[in-house]
């Protein structure tokens, strides 16, 4: 599917905590090396602590900004080591521009809450007006709702579940064979 909204790719928390093991490097070394290379004057201990709290399960719903920063650091480390990043990243609507995407599609909080009833209507209203920033689970649901909305606009037929076989199609169709300069058919 062609995504026509601004999105980011992140690892969910269960995959995020597996990345340092996949890299065979400690979180302290990863964050410190990233900050040195990018010349970031921030204490790396803050991100390390956030990562450890996520790994221990002390934080049930971590902030999107933290997950996004950790994902960016891990992707940078994969590129620096010339390794293929671990699978499992998901695409969600960009938290900075989700409000514009919702307004462009004229999606209202009541419609969204009707589809995803696990979210409180007052929370939906405050997120859709921009008063509150959504957490990861809500952003995933907003992304699903936007994709569903876009598919309804396109009005595509249902997927039949079978791929086209061009050779079979050529044999079964009643298309006359043409002559070409490359090959002549009898």
């Amino acid at each position: 599917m062609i995504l026509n909204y601004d999105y980011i790719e992140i690892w969910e928390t269960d995959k995020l905590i597996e990345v340092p093991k996949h890299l065979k490097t400690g979180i302290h070394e990863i964050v410190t090396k990233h900050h040195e290379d990018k010349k970031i004057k921030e204490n790396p201990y803050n991100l390390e602590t956030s990562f450890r709290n996520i790994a221990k399960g002390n934080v049930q719903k971590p902030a999107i900004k933290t997950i996004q920063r950790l994902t960016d650091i891990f992707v940078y480390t994969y590129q620096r080591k010339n390794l293929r990043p671990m699978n499992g990243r998901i695409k969600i609507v960009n938290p900075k521009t989700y409000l514009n995407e919702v307004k462009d599609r004229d999606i209202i909080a009541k419609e969204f809450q009707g589809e995803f009833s696990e979210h409180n209507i007052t929370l939906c209203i405050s997120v859709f007006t921009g008063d509150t920033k959504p957490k990861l689970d809500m952003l995933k649901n907003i992304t699903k709702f936007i994709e569903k909305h876009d598919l309804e606009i396109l009005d595509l037929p249902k997927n039949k579940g079978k791929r086209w076989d061009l050779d079979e199609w050529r044999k079964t169709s009643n298309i006359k064979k043409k002559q070409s300069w490359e090959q002549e058919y009898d």
Side-chain angles (χ1 to χ4, degrees):
M1 178 177 168
I2 298 171
L3 304 177
N4 59 350
Y5 56 86
D6 188 21
Y7 66 89
I8 59 170
E9 289 187 32
I10 60 169
W11 278 293
E12 291 189 76
T13 54
D14 56 338
K15 294 279 186 182
L16 191 72
I17 59 178
E18 296 173 8
V19 174
K21 293 174 191 168
H22 190 255
L23 284 167
K24 298 179 180 123
T25 312
I27 186 67
H28 175 73
E29 185 180 337
I30 292 171
V31 175
T32 306
K33 184 69 175 160
H34 174 266
H35 282 24
E36 287 173 3
D37 292 348
K38 298 282 186 169
K39 297 178 181 162
I40 298 174
K41 295 182 180 180
E42 178 188 5
N43 190 353
Y45 184 71
N46 296 336
L47 276 174
E48 293 171 32
T49 304
S50 297
F51 176 80
R52 288 189 178 106
N53 284 335
I54 292 169
K56 289 178 185 175
N58 294 343
V59 180
Q60 297 299 322
K61 295 182 180 180
I64 293 292
K65 189 175 182 181
T66 304
I67 295 173
Q68 188 176 0
R69 290 185 65 204
L70 285 169
T71 300
D72 292 342
I73 289 171
F74 292 150
V75 168
Y76 171 80
T77 306
Y78 274 114
Q79 290 172 348
R80 189 173 52 80
K81 292 186 172 194
N82 289 329
L83 296 173
R84 172 181 258 164
M86 189 175 79
N87 292 334
R89 283 189 287 178
I90 59 169
K91 293 177 181 167
I92 60 170
V93 66
N94 192 336
K96 295 178 183 174
T97 60
Y98 81 93
L99 207 52
N100 294 336
E101 301 293 341
V102 167
K103 287 181 182 176
D104 289 347
R105 290 165 176 78
D106 293 327
I107 298 172
I108 58 174
K110 185 74 174 163
E111 290 175 4
F112 176 78
Q113 201 271 335
E115 182 86 18
F116 299 100
S117 58
E118 64 265 18
H119 302 293
N120 189 335
I121 186 65
T122 55
L123 175 65
C124 293
I125 291 171
S126 62
V127 165
F128 278 54
T129 56
D131 296 336
T132 306
K133 293 182 180 178
K135 295 286 187 180
L136 179 60
D137 58 341
M138 190 169 205
L139 269 178
K140 289 192 316 191
N141 290 339
I142 290 172
T143 304
K144 289 178 191 172
F145 197 79
I146 287 173
E147 289 175 357
K148 181 181 172 193
H149 184 270
D150 288 351
L151 283 176
E152 288 174 357
I153 289 174
L154 292 175
D155 196 27
L156 295 173
K158 292 281 185 189
N159 187 0
K160 301 289 187 205
K162 182 180 176 185
R163 295 185 64 128
W164 287 7
D165 184 6
L166 289 178
D167 292 331
E168 181 183 336
W169 178 71
R170 286 184 189 133
K171 291 176 188 173
T172 58
S173 64
N174 293 328
I175 299 173
K176 294 180 182 176
K177 294 179 178 167
K178 296 184 180 179
Q179 293 181 350
S180 71
W181 59 274
E182 292 180 350
Q183 186 175 1
E184 187 173 318
Y185 294 97
D186 293 345

